[in-house]
Amino acid sequence: MTMVADRYTYRVGWSAEDEEFVGTCAEFPSLSWLDADEDETFRGIRKLVRETVVEMAAAGEPVPEPISLRRYSGKFQVRTTPEIHRRLVIEATEAQVSLNRLINSKLLG
């Protein structure tokens, strides 16, 4: 059976400062794992998160919900200045696309 800890968002990258790989978990930003081996780094951060989840649950603390299991509406609101809003509308109009499509392309670009 898969534990909820296996559903978290993990990342492994090289740390020039530590001269080792560093593993992190988006849902637990205070946790990290260092190792010279990339695969061991991934295994290490996952093990650390699993242990942390068990400890939190045993202490009655709320355990973060994995990002992968959260539901998203596909909508979010961004506030900007009227000048930027105007520039974006002009750019979208000139490109003959909706403002929404233009913004999405910029987010992905």
Side-chain angles (χ1 to χ4, degrees):
M1 183 171 156
T2 303
M3 289 188 58
V4 70
D6 294 332
R7 302 291 185 225
Y8 287 119
T9 308
Y10 297 98
R11 182 174 303 237
V12 174
W14 181 254
S15 170
E17 179 181 333
D18 298 303
E19 296 185 351
E20 290 186 297
F21 289 97
V22 60
T24 58
C25 179
E27 293 86 348
F28 291 88
S30 64
L31 300 180
S32 65
W33 187 272
L34 289 167
D35 199 288
D37 182 87
E38 186 174 9
D39 293 332
E40 288 300 318
T41 303
F42 183 61
R43 282 191 276 280
I45 188 63
R46 287 181 57 176
K47 180 179 184 276
L48 180 59
V49 168
R50 280 193 297 274
E51 291 170 354
T52 301
V53 167
V54 168
E55 289 173 10
M56 291 176 76
E61 296 177 39
V63 176
E65 180 181 17
I67 292 170
S68 65
L69 301 179
R70 297 177 195 169
R71 295 197 181 265
Y72 294 91
S73 67
K75 299 177 188 177
F76 64 94
Q77 187 174 21
V78 177
R79 298 195 185 281
T80 188
T81 65
E83 294 78 22
I84 291 174
H85 190 171
R86 180 178 296 107
R87 284 187 8 222
L88 290 169
V89 168
I90 291 168
E91 188 176 339
T93 302
E94 289 173 343
Q96 297 180 348
V97 297
S98 69
L99 180 59
N100 187 62
R101 180 165 290 191
L102 176 76
I103 301 282
N104 270 290
S105 70
K106 288 184 177 292
L107 288 172
L108 296 173

